[in-house]
Amino acid sequence: MASDQKKTQRASRNSAVLLAIDVGNTNTVLGVFEKKKLVAHWRLTTLYEQTVDEWGILIRNLFMLENLDPRNIQGIIIASVVPPLDSCLEEVARRYFHMPAVFVRPEGKTGMPVRYQPPQDVGSDRIVNGVAAFEKYGGPCIVVDFGTAITFDAISEAGEYLGGVIAPGVGISADALFERAARLPRVDIRPTGSVIGTTTVTSMQSGLYYGYLGLVDGILDRMLEALGKKCRIVATGGQASLLAAGSRHIRQTDEFLTLEGLRILWSRLQ
């Protein structure tokens, strides 16, 4: 019985058809979709020096661990904010999956009008997030993406990308404190229970956590004034759950918003 169950699960997973890749400055997130269902996902460190073969072998090994057959992948779509890696991933798609990869471009056919000037200056991940948020939650909406930078993206009621805000990510600030102040240690970011730290570590953690909550909610205050109080706010990215928990405005977190956006864009191309 258990053996039959495993065979059924393996057969189901082997029908996955789309590989979505979100290449960020710090992490690269991969997802495999079977129709609308995300059946596997991985978060990797973005390594600029990794070769085509290293990427190919790594991805195929990840597939094996999840009982996925690379031969069943029928499409590859990529959002990348790291241009030096684009040609490498393009070759990975050709050499290891025998197909071209589709790269999302802000000026391309995304179904979302871009009011940013010039349109090509918008990170493709921000457009992908906007497409997913509007499709899932409607407009107007704001996407807060907690990555290397914290980005705030405004989507109109009509589904237009209006623009947004870019701020340094909390990890950048934590690293700067450690690197520029000789006596300050490297700390993880977490709520301390009290804004008043009683040790050097908790004082730094308090400054990072509550300081960034103030930054996030302060920016959202002003964006809501411009877009209206009925605007939906959705958070995504590596630290979304941590900081959203203390925010006055964020009520919705969506860990895989970017991957979902890539899937939606792929479906529009078919």
Side-chain angles (χ1 to χ4, degrees), residues 204-222:
M204 292 174 67
Q205 289 173 327
S206 183
L208 290 164
Y209 182 77
Y210 296 108
Y212 268 85
L213 278 182
L215 179 150
V216 168
D217 282 339
I219 289 174
L220 289 175
D221 281 337
R222 294 175 182 270

Side-chain angles (χ1 to χ4, degrees), residues 3-15 66-67:
S3 176
D4 291 343
Q5 227 172 11
K6 284 183 180 178
K7 285 179 182 177
T8 303
Q9 184 183 38
R10 187 176 295 113
S12 172
R13 288 192 168 186
N14 281 346
S15 62
E66 293 292 332
N67 294 318

Side-chain angles (χ1 to χ4, degrees), residues 168-182:
V170 62
I172 290 175
S173 291
D175 288 343
L177 276 175
F178 172 71
E179 290 168 7
R180 300 296 294 273

Side-chain angles (χ1 to χ4, degrees), residues 173-230:
S173 291
D175 288 343
L177 276 175
F178 172 71
E179 290 168 7
R180 300 296 294 273
R183 297 189 62 184
L184 295 183
R186 192 182 295 277
V187 299
D188 59 340
I189 296 113
R190 63 172 67 182
T192 56
S194 171
V195 71
I196 301 172
T198 56
T199 66
T200 299
V201 168
T202 56
S203 295
M204 292 174 67
Q205 289 173 327
S206 183
L208 290 164
Y209 182 77
Y210 296 108
Y212 268 85
L213 278 182
L215 179 150
V216 168
D217 282 339
I219 289 174
L220 289 175
D221 281 337
R222 294 175 182 270
M223 291 184 76
L224 288 169
E225 285 177 14
L227 293 170
K229 298 296 182 183
K230 292 184 179 179

Side-chain angles (χ1 to χ4, degrees), residues 5-160:
Q5 227 172 11
K6 284 183 180 178
K7 285 179 182 177
T8 303
Q9 184 183 38
R10 187 176 295 113
S12 172
R13 288 192 168 186
N14 281 346
S15 62
V17 296
L18 177 66
L19 172 61
I21 304 176
D22 170 29
V23 184
N25 290 295
T26 304
N27 294 123
T28 295
V29 182
L30 297 86
V32 179
F33 286 92
E34 178 187 345
K35 296 183 179 178
K36 293 185 178 182
K37 183 181 179 183
L38 182 65
V39 296
H41 59 86
W42 308 276
R43 180 178 292 271
L44 312 173
T45 301
T46 300
L47 298 175
Y48 288 60
E49 65 275 11
Q50 198 151 261
T51 68
V52 170
D53 290 324
E54 286 169 337
W55 271 108
I57 292 166
L58 174 59
I59 294 172
R60 291 179 72 94
N61 284 343
L62 291 172
F63 272 50
M64 287 176 61
L65 289 171
E66 293 292 332
N67 294 318
L68 291 168
D69 188 344
R71 293 172 297 182
N72 288 328
I73 296 298
Q74 296 177 5
I76 299 173
I77 186 166
I78 300 173
S80 171
V81 296
V82 187
L85 287 181
D86 291 0
S87 60
C88 178
L89 291 172
E90 197 170 17
E91 182 61 24
V92 170
R94 279 198 297 262
R95 189 181 302 177
Y96 284 86
F97 293 92
H98 313 294
M99 67 184 70
V102 174
F103 283 82
V104 177
R105 307 295 184 198
E107 68 276 19
K109 295 180 180 180
T110 63
M112 175 165 282
V114 177
R115 305 305 181 205
Y116 207 84
Q117 294 300 323
Q120 60 267 27
D121 279 3
V122 187
S124 58
D125 57 334
R126 299 175 72 183
I127 300 299
V128 171
N129 284 343
V131 167
F134 185 73
E135 176 93 359
K136 296 181 73 174
Y137 307 107
C141 62
I142 299 168
V143 180
V144 187
D145 191 345
F146 293 91
T148 306
I150 301 178
T151 56
F152 302 75
D153 296 303
I155 313 302
S156 74
E157 189 173 3
E160 306 159 297

